[in-house]
Amino acid sequence: MRAVLPVPGHTGRAALVGVGVGLLTLLCGVPYWCEHLTSAAVAVPAAGVFGAAGGLLLGTGDSRQRSGQMLLVGAVFVAFAWTAIWDSGIWPTFAFYSEGIGLTVSGAAVLAYPAGRLVDRADRYWVYAAIGVLIVGELFVELVSLPEWNDLSPDVFWPSLAPNRSLFDAAISTVTGLQVVLAGWYLVLLVRRGRRLSTTERPAAIPVLIGTGIAAAAIASTARTRTFTDLESLLSLYVVQNTISAVLALAVLSGALRERWREVDAPHRVIRMTSSTSSVATVRDALAAALRDPRLRLLFWVPAEHSYVDRRGHLVLHPSATTGRWLTEARMDDRQPLALVELDDALRLRRGMVDAVLRAGSQALLTAQLQAMATTQLEQVLAAQARVEERETAERQRLEKDLRDGAQRQLAALAEQLCGLDALGEPARTVVATCHDEVLGTIEDLEALARGLHPTVLRTDGLGAALDEVAVRLGLAVQLAVYAGRKPPAVEATAYFALCEGLTNVAKYAPEARVRIEVTEADGWLHGVVADDGPGGARVVAGGGLAGIDDRIRALHGRTLVESEAGTGTRLRVSLPCG
């Protein structure tokens, strides 16, 4: 992994690059500067700042490096544009092309920032158009003109092919107009680019886009046809353009320095935020804050499962990133995997910073990984308990059905047969009557047993009817309200037996109390409440009925709450996930 370069060395090298560009600008325009000292005092430092901005991006070591290279190339060619003042040999022609190349490359550098490449087709088309207007357009103007028409010496090198004054005047008017259109198009691209920036790109790119927009608008407003025919006006325009370009340079410097400070501070921020606690939530929030990605997602490696789990302990067998996101792996120093981190795709271009942040948070990630592994084990235990509860519910339903369809039906048939023996004389009639009563009692006992295993009414009509039947059988004054539909059998059975336990306690300890039962559902959960106005004072005792209910509820990832202060009645609330 790359180490983050120290800020002083990085900025120092950028400053040296800026000094070099400033000196080049000074040397290329010496004759002009000697007569325009004020312009020199403004334009030369502005050119140096422009070069320093390119140098600062050049040293980032990531995708912004390409934008830095292009800005530096643009700054050098803009400096060469000042050789037009020499007005001899090939220098004026070279200067005019240098100006077009410098503006085109600098514009492309900003459009490519911070990705380091022209992503959109519209951006590439603008570059092609800029080449056509600023470079090919300049060539066409030279082909149809003479040097003196451009306020140059007749003996300079000039590719004059078919001089035509009318065509020349029309060409410079067209090229000037196209330059304004090109600037307007550029502004539209900058606005469009700003709207598409991700959260991680925005802090560094927005100042650059705003500064570039100001510079482009100002440069376009200074475009005049006279600059093609008057060298002094052209050089004055160069002074204005160099000065205005300092706005772009300062914006780049501001954004780059802010990003540089972010790179240096991000690992320390993770350490600060996780120094007191290293819970899964804290580690996730620390990484999200350091990398400026609020949607950051963590998946922890569990060696025993040979797979990843999410923050809730659920297995993720085939991790994949969503659209616009990417996955990177965090490892210990011994290369053992710790976690997968899902990040904004823009951070793919900032691998150095991402690696530094993950290194800084490796110990916190290790602690969070252990917590995730413990959560996974707990989830597996609870899932196993839930499966056992579901099997028990199914088995109770089977036994209830077997009792009703088997023994109970056979006893009912026997009772009918005994009724047919009423014609027998005494003492046989008395024996038959006694047997008949015993059979009916046995049928009632089997009915109670079947109802205790799994009431038929619960299976056929749901919780409301089943709870109402229990309340009638216990002889309680119950106000029943059910605002929930049918749920999975295990959920309904667990809720039913839990609420029945509450009703049984009321019948046992406060039979004269008024009782309210309410069953509701919200956000995927089923909530049941049994509340009475009895004496209160109920407690959950190990091995007792309420403790058993709590165990069954927890097996399905549910919650139980008992509120029973003395003199205020008792309130039992159970909550079960319906999924």
Side-chain angles (χ1 to χ4, degrees):
M1 297 182 183
R2 293 191 301 273
V4 177
L5 294 174
V7 173
H10 185 192
T11 54
R13 285 189 291 272
L16 288 177
V17 171
V19 170
V21 172
L23 289 176
L24 180 63
T25 303
L26 182 65
L27 291 175
C28 290
V30 165
Y32 185 79
W33 305 131
C34 291
E35 297 180 5
H36 301 82
L37 295 178
T38 303
S39 297
V42 175
V44 172
V49 172
F50 197 84
L56 192 64
L57 294 181
L58 194 62
T60 56
D62 54 33
S63 60
R64 294 172 297 167
Q65 187 175 20
R66 300 190 189 98
S67 291
Q69 292 170 346
M70 288 189 284
L71 275 181
L72 189 55
V73 169
V76 169
F77 274 102
V78 170
F80 284 147
W82 287 101
T83 57
I85 191 61
W86 296 95
D87 198 16
S88 63
I90 198 174
W91 293 116
T93 303
F94 174 68
F96 296 153
Y97 289 123
S98 294
E99 176 71 6
I101 293 172
L103 291 176
T104 301
V105 175
S106 299
V110 175
L111 292 178
Y113 183 84
R117 57 191 178 89
L118 298 173
V119 179
D120 293 337
R121 185 179 301 176
D123 295 341
R124 292 192 290 271
Y125 287 164
W126 183 90
V127 174
Y128 300 150
I131 293 172
V133 173
L134 301 178
I135 300 175
V136 178
E138 175 62 32
L139 174 61
F140 182 77
V141 169
E142 293 179 5
L143 291 176
V144 299
S145 67
L146 296 174
E148 50 268 33
W149 296 353
N150 294 271
D151 198 24
L152 298 172
S153 299
D155 56 347
V156 301
F157 172 80
W158 198 257
S160 181
L161 182 64
N164 185 303
R165 186 69 196 199
S166 299
L167 190 57
F168 169 68
D169 292 339
I172 60 175
S173 297
T174 301
V175 170
T176 302
L178 289 176
Q179 288 177 353
V180 175
V181 172
L182 197 65
W185 183 4
Y186 194 70
L187 290 174
V188 172
L189 291 179
L190 293 179
V191 172
R192 181 167 169 263
R193 181 68 185 282
R195 291 178 175 176
R196 294 185 175 184
L197 289 174
S198 66
T199 305
T200 56
E201 294 174 313
R202 195 167 287 124
I206 285 296
V208 176
L209 297 181
I210 293 175
T212 306
I214 294 173
I219 290 174
S221 66
T222 60
R224 300 288 186 274
T225 57
R226 185 183 175 189
T227 57
F228 284 88
T229 58
D230 181 37
L231 183 59
E232 184 68 23
S233 298
L234 177 63
L235 296 176
S236 297
L237 175 62
Y238 284 176
V239 172
V240 174
Q241 290 180 348
N242 275 27
T243 305
I244 294 173
S245 65
V247 176
L248 165 61
L250 290 173
V252 171
L253 287 172
S254 171
L257 286 174
R258 287 173 62 191
E259 285 299 289
R260 197 60 182 167
W261 171 249
R262 173 191 169 194
E263 291 176 0
V264 174
D265 181 62
H268 299 292
R269 176 178 290 190
V270 173
I271 294 174
R272 289 195 302 270
M273 293 182 67
T274 58
S275 59
S276 58
T277 178
S278 297
S279 67
V280 173
T282 301
V283 173
R284 184 263 166 203
D285 292 343
L287 294 176
L291 296 173
R292 292 181 183 171
D293 184 2
R295 294 174 55 201
L296 182 143
R297 183 167 67 108
L298 283 176
L299 300 175
F300 295 95
W301 176 252
V302 179
E305 300 293 335
H306 204 68
S307 181
Y308 288 94
V309 298
D310 61 18
R311 58 192 299 181
R312 296 179 180 84
H314 300 156
L315 288 176
V316 181
L317 298 179
H318 303 289
S320 60
T322 56
T323 304
R325 313 283 294 170
W326 70 292
L327 290 172
T328 186
E329 192 173 46
R331 291 178 174 269
M332 291 292 292
D333 292 337
D334 59 0
R335 307 307 298 162
Q336 291 296 318
L338 274 177
L340 277 181
V341 188
E342 186 186 82
L343 300 167
D344 190 313
D345 197 54
L347 286 170
R348 193 192 298 268
L349 307 174
R350 312 294 295 279
R351 289 301 299 265
M353 182 181 70
V354 172
D355 290 344
V357 167
L358 295 182
R359 268 202 314 273
S362 60
Q363 289 302 317
L365 279 170
L366 177 59
T367 303
Q369 181 197 35
L370 295 175
Q371 294 181 11
M373 292 167 61
T375 302
T376 301
Q377 293 173 355
L378 178 59
E379 286 291 323
Q380 291 174 344
V381 171
L382 291 176
Q385 291 178 344
R387 289 193 295 271
V388 170
E389 182 67 27
E390 290 174 358
R391 284 197 295 270
E392 288 181 353
T393 300
E395 185 64 17
R396 283 194 295 268
Q397 289 178 327
R398 186 187 65 79
L399 289 174
E400 182 262 345
K401 186 174 185 299
D402 288 347
L403 285 174
R404 293 185 184 278
D405 295 345
Q408 193 172 0
R409 181 176 296 176
Q410 292 173 3
L411 288 173
L414 178 60
E416 289 181 4
Q417 292 176 4
L418 290 172
C419 288
L421 299 177
D422 288 344
L424 295 176
E426 295 291 348
R429 181 185 301 172
T430 302
V431 174
V432 169
T434 301
C435 291
H436 182 266
D437 292 341
E438 290 292 335
V439 169
L440 292 180
T442 303
I443 291 175
E444 290 179 0
D445 291 341
L446 287 176
E447 175 68 25
L449 177 61
R451 188 165 51 243
L453 288 171
H454 194 90
T456 303
V457 68
L458 175 64
R459 184 176 66 250
T460 57
D461 299 329
L463 273 172
L467 291 171
D468 186 57
E469 183 180 276
V470 172
V472 171
R473 189 170 68 250
L474 293 176
L476 296 174
V478 174
Q479 179 185 354
L480 177 63
V482 178
Y483 305 106
R486 299 305 302 269
K487 296 294 175 284
V491 174
E492 281 193 341
T494 302
Y496 168 79
F497 287 114
L499 297 177
C500 283
E501 180 65 26
L503 287 173
T504 302
N505 285 339
V506 175
K508 183 176 182 181
Y509 299 107
E512 303 302 323
R514 289 174 299 179
V515 185
R516 179 175 57 85
I517 302 177
E518 185 175 277
V519 180
T520 60
E521 60 177 318
D523 301 324
W525 283 74
L526 181 71
H527 304 285
V529 175
V530 176
D532 65 70
D533 58 359
R539 295 290 181 267
V540 178
V541 180
L546 289 177
I549 288 300
D550 185 60
D551 291 340
R552 295 184 66 173
I553 294 293
R554 288 170 60 84
L556 293 182
H557 297 198
R559 300 186 295 266
T560 307
L561 176 64
V562 178
E563 299 172 330
S564 186
E565 296 295 330
T568 62
T570 301
R571 185 175 186 272
L572 169 66
R573 177 184 173 89
V574 296
S575 300
L576 289 163
C578 300

